[in-house]
Amino acid sequence: MPITMLRGLVRLLKKRWFLSALGVAVSLGFTVRGIAPAIPRDAPVAVFMFTMFCIGLTATPSALLRALTNWRATLVSLGFGYLIAPAMAFVSGWVLLDPESDLFRGWILVGCTSTTISSAIVYARSAGANATLALVLSNISSVASPLMTPVLVGLLLSKQIDVPVAPMMKTLFLSVLAPVLLAQVVLVVAARMVAPLRVYVGVFSQVGILLIVFMSMARTFHLAPPVFYRELPGVVTVLVVLSVALYAAMSTGSYSAARRAGLGAADAVAVAYASGQKTMAVTVVLADRFFSPVAAVPILVYHLTQLVCGELDSGFYRRRIDKGEGQPGAGPDDGRSGTVSRT
């Protein structure tokens, strides 16, 4: 029995290699935290710009425009991502965290940030949902982030600190929107040259995220006060509880709202994953640049939690779709064929 369980664990780690690599990145960040002073402060932003350029290559302009015609899915996804999630993060964080702490500020960042494209696509595909819709909704969330995230963070933290909304917008515009727009231009003017490379952009973007996590964690563990390590077990426990509650509410709530809006199960599941799966790269960069490295801890815990939850609820959503709840007339091009590159 132990050997069978070990083999099953190995198969899972091979299937979800990013989860294993994320653990390695965090461990290395802690082990070699002494190199933190040698890491340029702008290095995570530079790597993030490259990562967003790769992500921008995953959705063509025509796909983005087609998604906008599915206005119900877009409104539900953006509504939950930029209204419900920030409100829930603020209330839950106010109850269970110190509102004056960097952990609270980091938790607010989690609620206000955009969708992670990689997880949304992977789990939508695993559940047999409309992976193409999940991809495009995640891209739309990223495009909206330079405006929505700084404004929301500024509103929710205005009584605690003076949030640099304008510099935050500038950082997100240069590191998120500009690379994505550049990628769209490249797709238009050099589509044939880029086509063979799109198979690899998912790996490139995930490697970039791992580098960002490594650099940010090295800074976190290097600069954190000694009391941070003594309180870490309790902090992680609270953050796990908050993360599970937020993810469950976002996933089930957005799915139910999408179904009530008239979407089939395949599209509603895509909306759920494009609402509950939050990006780690954006939050880590903002936490490190505008708050403190400790503020990056909540998104790390949330990201690990959402990966586990995604594994668990993909089977549940697949059963809902297999019961015939998908949209009538869904054919092989509805995004469920698994042809979307993993990003």
Side-chain angles (χ1 to χ4, degrees):
M1 182 66 69
I3 296 178
T4 303
M5 294 177 62
L6 181 60
R7 289 176 177 173
L9 178 61
V10 171
R11 286 195 298 269
L12 175 63
L13 292 178
K14 286 183 178 180
K15 183 180 179 182
R16 301 296 184 219
W17 68 270
F18 184 77
L19 180 59
S20 307
L22 184 61
V24 172
V26 175
S27 300
L28 283 177
F30 175 78
T31 305
V32 297
R33 58 187 182 275
I35 71 168
I39 299 176
R41 185 168 180 79
D42 291 332
V45 176
V47 175
F48 183 56
M49 292 175 67
F50 170 76
T51 301
M52 291 307 302
F53 175 78
C54 292
I55 290 174
L57 294 175
T58 61
T60 62
S62 59
L64 290 173
L65 291 175
R66 282 200 305 272
L68 292 177
T69 63
N70 193 344
W71 59 270
R72 292 182 179 88
T74 302
L75 285 181
V76 172
S77 177
L78 291 178
F80 271 82
Y82 288 118
L83 292 177
I84 305 299
M88 288 192 62
F90 181 81
V91 173
S92 61
W94 191 274
V95 173
L96 295 179
L97 297 173
D98 178 6
E100 301 297 330
S101 68
D102 287 325
L103 289 173
F104 177 76
R105 294 160 192 164
W107 181 242
I108 294 299
L109 281 174
V110 172
C112 298
T113 196
S114 59
T115 303
T116 176
I117 296 176
S118 56
S119 299
I121 298 171
V122 169
Y123 290 124
R125 186 188 303 164
S126 177
N130 190 339
T132 301
L133 180 61
L135 164 67
V136 177
L137 290 176
S138 299
N139 272 287
I140 292 174
S141 177
S142 296
V143 170
S145 179
L147 173 63
M148 298 302 298
T149 299
V151 170
L152 289 169
V153 172
L155 289 173
L156 295 177
L157 294 180
S158 59
K159 292 185 177 180
Q160 284 76 35
I161 59 172
D162 183 17
V163 179
V165 174
M168 196 179 292
M169 281 185 177
K170 179 180 178 181
T171 297
L172 285 178
F173 176 81
L174 293 176
S175 60
V176 176
L177 193 56
V180 170
L181 293 178
L182 177 61
Q184 296 299 298
V185 173
V186 171
L187 285 175
V188 172
V189 301
R192 292 185 179 180
M193 295 178 59
V194 175
L197 299 177
R198 293 183 70 190
V199 179
Y200 306 102
V201 295
V203 176
F204 292 157
S205 62
Q206 289 185 322
V207 170
I209 293 173
L210 292 173
L211 285 174
I212 294 170
V213 171
F214 166 72
M215 290 185 288
S216 296
M217 288 302 98
R219 285 177 53 81
T220 297
F221 293 126
H222 176 72
L223 298 175
V227 67
F228 173 77
Y229 297 98
R230 294 196 297 270
E231 298 177 350
L232 189 58
V235 166
V236 170
T237 301
V238 172
L239 289 175
V240 168
V241 172
L242 289 172
S243 298
V244 171
L246 179 60
Y247 178 86
M250 292 290 293
S251 179
T252 58
S254 58
Y255 175 82
S256 299
R259 293 291 287 155
R260 290 192 178 94
L263 299 180
D267 285 354
V269 173
V271 171
Y273 285 123
S275 302
Q277 296 281 335
K278 292 287 189 174
T279 180
M280 179 169 53
V282 171
T283 313
V284 166
V285 168
L286 291 180
D288 184 57
R289 192 173 185 85
F290 295 102
F291 298 101
S292 79
V294 174
V297 174
I299 185 55
L300 178 62
V301 175
Y302 185 87
H303 193 84
L304 292 171
T305 303
Q306 73 181 8
L307 291 178
V308 175
C309 291
E311 290 285 347
L312 296 175
D313 64 15
S314 61
F316 167 78
Y317 283 134
R318 175 175 283 278
R319 288 191 294 271
R320 301 299 296 268
I321 294 173
D322 290 343
K323 286 181 179 179
E325 296 183 10
Q327 287 180 326
D333 295 326
D334 66 351
R336 296 166 60 185
S337 59
T339 57
V340 180
S341 62
R342 176 174 178 170
T343 57

